[in-house]
Amino acid sequence: MRSIRRLLVLAAAAALAGCVASRPAPVEERGGGPPRAAPKPAAGAAGAAAAPVAVPPGSYVVKKGDTLYSIALEHGADYRDVAQWNKLEDPSKIQIGQVLRVSLPEQKLVEVGKPAVLGRVEARPLGEPAPAAKPAPAAPPPLAAAKTGAGAEFIWPVKGKVLAGFAEPRSKGIDIDGKLGTPVVAAAAGRVTYTGTGIPGLGKLVVIRHETGFITVYAHNRDIMVKEQQQVGRGQKIAELGSTDADRPKLHFQIRKGAAAVDPLRYLPAL
């Protein structure tokens, strides 16, 4: 009898345990109230993070492989001016993603015929007429347009076979064959704005700015014979042909009209 009672107690306990296990335990949330859903990210937050940075006109975002010298050349500017506009003490220290001004900041022009008022009124005797306004000074004559006919402006910096022609954007100039040490001359008179090796792939480089608004580039030189800010004449020796950063002795020559590279063969005389 006692054994039968023990079996009934064990069976009842097993049944009770099965009922408890089959029923899911409720999720308790502290603080009361119904369960709260996980917070959703703010609308537009992801889009705002991925949105590109707005670049003001006349500015440029530094990319991998850029140098201040290459940026200045691509925008037809002097690297010293770019450094000054951006208050850069060391031209070699720029960072990817940095926004640089690459053109002259706009300046407000004074309207002709409207004298500036400085808060001082000139006293005159009663009845005396006001002095006649001085005529505005004559505007300086406009800069003469660059001649674009063959041979009218530029001469060949070195004479030789053209190894590679102009092909934007892959090649911004022409490659001219030559022997090591052959004199490289200025294609036109101007001012040397850069000499050095600050632009990857061009080796020892000379850049000359001309009064007509053109810029000429002479790359892969062996030796450079001029200094920055030096005035040079048309046909003056500026370098010796070399093979720095090149697979063979040659001169890479560019003509730029401001920031735009143009085909030098359109401006050079026929050989």
Side-chain angles (χ1 to χ4, degrees), residues 156 158-167 170-171 173-179 220 241-243 246-253 265 271:
W156 285 82
V158 65
K159 292 184 179 180
K161 179 183 177 181
V162 176
L163 300 172
F166 177 81
R170 180 177 56 83
S171 175
I174 60 175
D175 291 345
I176 308 173
D177 191 18
K179 296 181 179 180
H220 304 310
L241 190 142
S243 58
D247 56 354
R248 60 180 294 172
K250 62 183 178 182
L251 175 71
H252 178 73
F253 176 64
L265 296 181
L271 289 176

Side-chain angles (χ1 to χ4, degrees), residues 125-150:
L126 187 64
E128 181 178 331
K134 295 182 180 180
L143 188 66
K147 300 176 182 179
T148 57

Side-chain angles (χ1 to χ4, degrees), residues 149-152 154-156 159 264-271:
F154 300 102
I155 62 173
W156 285 82
K159 292 184 179 180
L265 296 181
R266 294 176 49 199
Y267 297 86
L268 294 171
L271 289 176

Side-chain angles (χ1 to χ4, degrees), residues 157 181-186 208 222-226 230 232-241:
T182 299
V184 176
V185 302
I208 299 177
R222 183 176 70 178
D223 292 308
I224 295 175
M225 307 299 174
V226 291
Q230 179 179 338
V232 295
R234 180 182 180 183
Q236 179 178 338
K237 182 179 178 180
I238 60 172
E240 290 182 352
L241 190 142

Side-chain angles (χ1 to χ4, degrees), residues 20-218:
V20 173
S22 63
R23 193 189 306 171
V27 177
E28 179 182 358
E29 181 171 353
R30 297 180 180 178
R36 290 175 294 179
K40 296 181 179 180
V53 179
V55 181
S59 299
Y60 174 80
V61 180
V62 178
K63 298 178 178 61
K64 183 178 180 180
D66 285 339
T67 65
L68 187 69
Y69 312 107
S70 65
I71 293 171
L73 179 61
E74 286 299 317
H75 292 85
D78 189 317
Y79 79 90
R80 280 170 290 268
D81 292 334
V82 177
Q84 181 180 1
W85 298 334
N86 295 278
K87 299 180 180 179
L88 300 176
E89 296 182 0
D90 187 347
S92 66
K93 293 182 179 179
I94 58 175
Q95 299 178 350
I96 297 174
Q98 184 177 359
V99 178
L100 297 177
R101 173 169 287 282
V102 292
S103 63
L104 183 67
E106 295 182 359
Q107 297 178 350
K108 294 183 179 180
L109 301 178
V110 179
E111 294 184 23
V112 178
K114 291 187 178 181
V117 178
L118 302 179
R120 180 177 63 86
V121 179
E122 183 180 357
R124 296 190 304 271
L126 187 64
E128 181 178 331
K134 295 182 180 180
L143 188 66
K147 300 176 182 179
T148 57
E153 168 97 14
F154 300 102
I155 62 173
W156 285 82
V158 65
K159 292 184 179 180
K161 179 183 177 181
V162 176
L163 300 172
F166 177 81
E168 270 271 57
R170 180 177 56 83
S171 175
K172 299 181 181 294
I174 60 175
D175 291 345
I176 308 173
D177 191 18
K179 296 181 179 180
L180 287 173
T182 299
V184 176
V185 302
R191 177 176 60 88
V192 178
T193 59
Y194 177 71
T195 63
T197 58
I199 302 182
L202 295 183
K204 292 185 179 180
L205 178 70
V206 177
V207 179
I208 299 177
R209 178 180 292 275
H210 309 280
E211 291 184 355
T212 53
F214 283 85
I215 296 172
T216 51
V217 179
Y218 313 76

